[in-house]
Amino acid sequence: MKNSKKTLAALTITATVGLSAILPFNALAANPFTDSANSAQVQTAIEQLAQQQVVSGYENNTFKPNQTVTRAEIAKMVALALHVNVDPAAANHFNDVTKGDWFYSYAVALESLGVMKENSGQFRGGQSISSDQLAEVIANVLKVDKAAVEKLPSFASIAGSQVTRGQAALLIFEAQQLAPIQVTKLQALNAITLQVTFSAPIPAAELELDQASKNFVFDNGLAINNVPRLKTGSKSTYIVPVPTQKAGTTYTLTYKGKPAGTFTASTEKIALKSTAQVASDLFEVESHLADGVADYGYVIAAYSKGRPGSFIVDENNSYNGKTYQILSSMRSRQVQITPEGGATMTANYLPFTQATDGRQAPKFILPNGETFKAGVKYTVSADWATLANPTFTAKEIAPLTIQSAAAVDTKTIAVTLSQDPKDEIFVSRRVTLTATDGTVLTAEYTLTSRKGAVGTFALLNNAQLVPGTSYTVAPVGKWSTETGVTLTLTK
């Protein structure tokens, strides 16, 4: 343990204390030492703290779990396991600690927090520590009640005694679970994507968009665009989509009401390949893995099993020697499209079309019912992307054709097209259902319900079909055509 002179890399994290990634007891980690503890739980804690580079043992590669732990050793274990900010330049107020001592930076760091202070001005690094004293040190670092530390599973077995190295490792490892989840690293990957590492995984319930939006609060007009997504292969590093950052702006993130870090806006735009018309009012922008752009669906845990070709990137977003730009969620994303000789329009991303056809090709819809004019050249631009081939010439594309419709129940219908659109271009589409008595109902496509050429539409405004009544189905707008399609809900 005394051989280590590890110092922590400086982060732009404003919180004083964070945690390293917390691993469960059943996580596999090889024993790096030649000796072992008698207790399986103690041994697991030692191995996990060694994996976190919190403990490093002695010169002969032993850990000596049954040896009484010293205050100097506790200073190192607590500082590294609980991520105290270790600053070698901090003022030293101890008269028995010098810069030549292997534990110097740890003792000084804890003293600066008001932890492990001695009224006599001495640190007494070689002295042993009692269970009561260790609980107090941990509680002060984590800023929790001492009683919370004393309720940790292993504390009862050491209460009232001097603590061994193994016992200290177990209690400190358990204490990692006490700390609130905090940001330990924050970086802007590109103009629309952040990468945020936490001290532990975020609970699933807190990743729902409403709750995540309350927890992740930025200044200067920034906000999350969609839910944070855990990177495949990571314990607690998330891809976080945001609106386009403003060049030259410094942003501060507050997580659950506490300052979590600052970063300078990235001006790196996503390198898109080309754009093309898809329908009479839809177009797409495309990027390629071969060009070093990875849709986030390839590298996040939520999609790893369902996405062919998914892979694991490292913390620098590299895989097999290639570093990728991460194209995060397109939710709420916009682009500009300008017809030659005409006014620029803002087109909005069509939800669930980011890569549902197996390509990195999110679709965008023209505003206000606009349609493309055949023969006109259109140019696409975005403040978050560059396009190698930004133009296309519009052509006549026949609208989709509604072939049939059938009632599923009183509130939903199934609409079948003449052919499979092979993507979620049903999104935002509506149909009207006109009853024989003239009553008109409106139904809207239900997101991700498409199965081949069939999509499910739900009636709006709590409307319901009347059993035995015949309805004529027609598209709202020019997205489709129909010729006398009817349906009847059987009694």
Side-chain angles (χ1 to χ4, degrees), residues 71-93:
R71 286 170 54 84
E73 291 166 343
I74 286 297
K76 178 192 174 183
M77 293 169 71
V78 167
L80 295 185
L82 305 184
H83 265 199
V84 173
N85 183 29
V86 178
D87 180 6
N92 174 23
H93 299 112

Side-chain angles (χ1 to χ4, degrees), residues 130-150:
S130 69
S131 58
D132 183 70
Q133 291 168 334
L134 178 55
E136 186 174 353
V137 168
I138 292 171
N140 287 339
V141 169
L142 294 180
K143 294 181 172 58
V144 299
D145 290 337
K146 184 180 174 184
V149 180
E150 293 173 342

Side-chain angles (χ1 to χ4, degrees), residues 277-284 349-354 356-357 359 361-365 397-401 417 419-430 445-450 452-453 455 457 478-480:
Q277 182 184 359
V278 174
S280 62
D281 59 351
L282 295 177
F283 64 99
E284 65 184 16
Y349 167 66
L350 195 66
F352 293 94
T353 63
Q354 186 159 341
T356 48
D357 56 358
R359 300 158 52 239
K363 313 298 186 286
F364 291 82
I365 187 168
I397 295 181
L400 301 169
T401 300
L417 302 178
Q419 63 183 33
D420 183 356
K422 293 183 170 54
D423 206 346
E424 283 293 288
I425 59 176
F426 270 129
V427 173
S428 80
R429 306 305 192 181
R430 294 182 175 185
Y445 173 69
T446 302
L447 291 174
T448 71
S449 68
R450 181 182 67 86
F457 286 65
K478 301 177 182 179
W479 70 272
S480 179

Side-chain angles (χ1 to χ4, degrees), residues 452-477:
V454 182
T456 299
F457 286 65
L459 294 177
L460 301 177
N461 303 316
N462 296 314
Q464 295 188 41
L465 299 175
V466 177
T469 299
S470 178
Y471 296 86
T472 299
V473 179
V476 176

Side-chain angles (χ1 to χ4, degrees), residues 16 39 54 65 68 115 138 147 152 154 196 234 295 356 420 422 433:
T16 302
S39 163
V54 170
T68 302
V115 181
I138 292 171
L152 291 172
S154 71
V196 186
S234 170
D295 177 86
T356 48
D420 183 356
K422 293 183 170 54
L433 296 92

